[in-house]
Amino acid sequence: MSNSIQSLVYDQLISYSSPQRQAFTSKLLPTIEPTRVIGVTMQDCRTIAQTLIRNHQAEAFCASLPHTYVEENIIHMLILNLYRDNQLWQQAMEDFHPFLDNWMVTDAASPKYIGRDPDALRSCALTWITDTKPYVQRVAILLLMQLVRKSQFQEQDYLAVCSVNTDHYYVDMMRAWYFATLFEYQPSIIYTMLTESNVELRVKRKTIQKILESRKTHALDREQMKAIRTTLKQQ
């Protein structure tokens, strides 16, 4: 069953692929061998995931780990997003953790039903953020950022992101993204983080960059961010 479901999904992916998309996606994933990229859009991956669910083949596909291609891992994550049971989702995610090896797969995490239970989502994220695997940390921070956007922010989430101890580029970038998102809702916290906290300078600089890139940032905040950036350059 495992080989047949893998072949089925591979054939579907090939039918949606294009050389141009393969080249484009490969450039976005410098840590992944280009041979592991088929070249399929996120929307087409979502279509395949929904087809597997509708045909009662999703469970067999998710059990066929490890997958070979990035798009297969994306489809796997998209299927997990539609789990309705908290415990089953948590176990399925943790079974998938060893295979998270790039930002494109982690950033597909957006649990539709589990996300309606902020306490359950937070509990998982605060556990996973202490993991030693960088892409597990990244997905944990992403889930905490989703809580910010749902107006479910808690200070313990922010403190957990501040306390992450790694110099991994893709974790740093997610931390900066989290802080920049939190700035939209709790700007005073981020001003304090940038000027008074022990968060690494490189993360502070990336946070400022993301805040300045946002169209939502007001003119006065832009000026203050530029001033803080100048101060940080002297440190």
Side-chain angles (χ1 to χ4, degrees):
M1 182 64 173
S2 176
N3 289 335
S4 63
I5 194 67
Q6 287 176 332
S7 297
L8 173 67
V9 172
Y10 176 77
D11 289 345
Q12 290 179 332
L13 285 167
I14 290 297
S15 72
Y16 284 114
S17 68
S18 72
Q20 296 82 3
R21 173 61 60 175
Q22 195 279 338
F24 175 75
T25 303
S26 295
K27 289 180 180 178
L28 297 177
L29 297 170
T31 62
I32 299 297
E33 288 295 325
T35 54
R36 288 189 55 213
V37 178
I38 294 177
V40 179
T41 67
M42 182 64 73
Q43 183 54 51
D44 288 334
C45 286
R46 188 169 285 109
T47 297
I48 295 172
Q50 291 170 343
T51 299
L52 290 172
I53 293 170
R54 186 168 56 251
N55 294 338
H56 306 288
Q57 296 169 308
E59 184 177 351
F61 173 72
C62 289
S64 67
L65 288 167
H67 307 306
T68 301
Y69 299 100
V70 169
E71 289 90 346
E72 290 176 319
N73 282 325
I74 290 174
I75 291 169
H76 191 125
M77 185 68 82
L78 293 173
I79 290 171
L80 298 189
N81 284 344
L82 298 177
Y83 273 40
R84 293 174 179 267
D85 182 275
N86 289 355
Q87 292 184 337
L88 290 178
W89 174 78
Q90 179 178 352
Q91 185 60 59
M93 284 289 291
E94 291 176 352
D95 290 344
F96 195 31
H97 281 175
F99 307 99
L100 298 178
D101 62 359
N102 69 84
W103 68 265
M104 197 169 287
V105 174
T106 62
D107 293 12
S110 181
K112 180 177 180 180
Y113 300 104
I114 312 304
R116 296 174 183 174
D117 185 345
D119 291 335
L121 197 65
R122 174 174 290 107
S123 176
C124 290
L126 292 178
T127 298
W128 298 341
I129 202 171
T130 63
D131 199 289
T132 58
K133 294 181 283 295
Y135 290 102
V136 176
Q137 292 179 319
R138 182 175 172 103
V139 79
I141 299 168
L142 174 68
L143 295 175
L144 292 176
M145 184 172 72
Q146 291 170 5
L147 289 176
V148 170
R149 288 175 170 164
K150 295 175 181 177
S151 300
Q152 295 290 340
F153 167 74
Q154 289 187 8
E155 186 179 11
Q156 62 177 326
D157 307 343
Y158 161 76
L159 294 175
V161 177
C162 287
S163 299
V164 171
N165 183 20
T166 182
D167 59 357
H168 193 281
Y169 173 80
Y170 287 101
V171 179
D172 280 355
M173 291 303 293
M174 182 54 73
R175 292 172 73 196
W177 189 7
Y178 173 88
F179 292 137
T181 300
L182 184 57
F183 181 77
E184 298 175 23
Y185 300 83
Q186 302 278 348
S188 62
I189 292 176
I190 300 306
Y191 274 122
T192 300
M193 184 275 287
L194 292 171
T195 57
E196 300 178 18
S197 78
N198 293 324
V199 170
E200 300 86 342
L201 283 175
R202 65 180 184 276
V203 176
K204 291 181 178 181
R205 289 167 180 152
K206 289 183 175 78
T207 299
I208 292 173
Q209 178 184 342
K210 285 188 171 293
I211 291 172
L212 290 175
E213 288 172 352
S214 173
R215 296 179 179 178
K216 298 179 181 179
T217 304
H218 298 142
L220 180 58
D221 288 321
R222 288 183 183 278
E223 293 306 312
Q224 291 178 308
M225 283 295 155
K226 290 177 182 178
I228 295 171
R229 182 175 61 184
T230 299
T231 301
L232 293 179
K233 287 181 179 179
Q234 300 170 358
Q235 296 181 14

